[in-house]
Structures are given as C-alpha cells and as structure tokens.
Amino acid sequence: MGLSMTTPVLTLQDAALSLDGNAGRVDILHNISLTVQQGETLGLIGPSGSGKSSLLMLMGGLEQASQGRVHALGHDLTGMDEDALARFRRDAMGVVFQNFHLIPTMTALENVATPLELAGHRDAFERAGAELEAVGLSHRRDHYPAQLSGGEQQRVALARASAPRPQLLLADEPTGNLDETNGAAIIDLLFGLRDRHGATLVLVTHSHTLAQKCDRVVRLRDGRIAEDNRREAAE
Ligand SMILES: Nc1ncnc2c1ncn2[C@@H]1O[C@H](COP(=O)(O)OP(=O)(O)OP(=O)(O)O)[C@@H](O)[C@H]1O
Ligand SMILES: [Mg+2]
C-alpha cells in the first residue's frame, strides 16, 4: 500500500460542534483534530453520549462544524451548501446511520438500487440483488423496511452504502444489532471494501472484535479525543 497510505482522506482541524435546541445550546464536540489516511480503518469508540455519532455526522458533512475545519476527499466541507454536500456524499461516500434511514416506501431491493441508479449504473437492480445476497438477504429483497427486523434493516443499509463502492465509508455501529454469524459477514464486507477497493473506513463500534480489526482506534470521552492509538503493523 506504501504511497496510498499517506494520502489524507479526512482531516478535522480543531473542529467543534454545538447545537441549539429547545433546552438551549449544547456543546457536543470540542477541539477535534484528526487525519485519516486513505485505506485506513478507524474504529471510533467511547461511552454512550461521548459524541461518536456526532463526530460521524461532522465527517460526513451532515452537521456543520461550529468551529474549525473539516476536509473530506479533497473538499472543504465547512461552508459547502446543502446541494453540493448531498452530491458529494452521493458520489464519494457511504454512510450507515445508527437508525439506518431506509426509505419506508421502498423495498429492500429498491433501497439498495436507488443510489446505484442515481450514480448512473444501468444494471442497478442486478447489482443491488448481488449486494443483498452478500449480506444474506436475497429472500427479503421485496420486503419493506417495516417488515424487516432491526438486524435485517441494518444489513440493507450496509448493502446500500457499500454498493456504489464509496472511497469513504462511515458506519455507525455496523454490527450493533447482529448475531455473531451475521456480524462476521458484515465485517468481511466492510474490510473487503478496503482490501479490494482501497476504501477508507470509519466505524463507530462498541464491539471489541470489530475495534481490534481496525488499524487505529480513537476513543472519545465527553466530546473530546481521549486516546488515539495506531496499531503497529504486526503482520
Ligand atoms: N440534536 C441534538 N441536540 C442536542 N444535543 C444533542 C443532539 N444530538 C446529540 N446530542 C447530545 O450530544 C451528545 C453526544 O451524542 P452522540 O449521539 O454523538 O453520542 P454517541 O457517542 O453516539 O452515543 P451512543 O453510543 O449512545 O450512540 C449526547 O450528550 C447527546 O445528548
Ligand atoms: Mg451514537
């Protein structure tokens, strides 16, 4: 991998996130500085409420930094307008949210095929079928999200995010609702994106098994980076 390992895909410089809500202003993330290299796999860990999902949103341009800067895949996300951000995400990024965000009026197959169609793939439905097969859901392709279990919805969301082969995949608890067998299949799928397509992965996880597979583990505490450990290239 040599050269490619030194290309930054994601850079946060002193980024902060504060949100205004009915209960007033909440400071969620503070002084986040982080560079993720191409092909790197980063595990984001930390207690509930420490800011993991919020940091993922910042990385994906789904929330704007209140301070500091966020660059992803050569774009400065700070100050980019909504349309440009949506196009950028569609073309280069896969995001799996903690609550999946599947489109309720579309079947599993349609959910996976839609971003492929938007990206101009003529064989979108064929590819979507293959992606669903890869996550073990061929038999559920014509089901609507409400007819799927939590773990099944999660696998559809992963298939949808990985189908366009994004350069950067951000996933919130990708194995959170899964049994061991399905969890292992998802881990294979994620790391296959890295191995076969050079994708960069940022994975929020409470799973020790998944975190251990990552090149680097960042631990958040109270909205700050408490630890940032790169694993020695052992094998
Ligand atoms: N829209 C919002 N408005 C105000 N506060 C928010 C908002 N979203 C999140 N928070 C707060 O920000 C903090 C971080 O939330 P976040 O969802 O990022 O945590 P997390 O590390 O992903 O937790 P979990 O492991 O439970 O998913 C929490 O204290 C939460 O209550
Ligand atoms: Mg979360």
Side-chain angles (χ1 to χ4, degrees), residues 8-12 33-37 40 42 216 228 230:
V9 161
L10 201 54
T11 310
L12 290 93
S33 292
L34 189 69
T35 299
V36 185
Q37 307 293 349
E40 197 167 38
L42 188 146
R216 181 177 175 194
D228 184 350
R230 240 192 212 90

Side-chain angles (χ1 to χ4, degrees), residues 141-159:
R141 51 192 278 161
D142 298 323
H143 285 227
Y144 290 93
Q147 303 168 324
L148 298 170
S149 76
E152 286 171 343
Q153 291 180 47
Q154 183 170 32
R155 285 183 281 154
V156 174
L158 256 159

Side-chain angles (χ1 to χ4, degrees), residues 19-21 24 26-29 46-55 63 98 172-173 204 206 220:
L19 292 175
D20 291 307
V26 189
D27 296 322
I28 298 174
L29 297 169
S48 177
S50 59
K52 305 180 298 296
S53 297
S54 305
L55 180 53
E63 293 285 1
Q98 201 162 7
D172 207 338
E173 296 279 7
V204 171
H206 284 113
L220 291 185

Side-chain angles (χ1 to χ4, degrees), residues 96-149:
V96 181
F97 298 97
Q98 201 162 7
N99 45 10
F100 322 133
H101 290 202
L102 295 175
I103 298 170
T105 54
M106 287 187 181
T107 64
L109 187 71
E110 289 164 348
N111 263 284
V112 179
T114 298
L116 292 169
E117 277 193 305
L118 289 173
H121 293 285
R122 282 158 191 265
D123 57 347
F125 279 83
E126 214 171 286
R127 282 176 60 153
E131 293 295 325
L132 281 178
E133 188 172 356
V135 298
L137 284 180
S138 292
H139 60 304
R140 291 286 181 264
R141 51 192 278 161
D142 298 323
H143 285 227
Y144 290 93
Q147 303 168 324
L148 298 170
S149 76

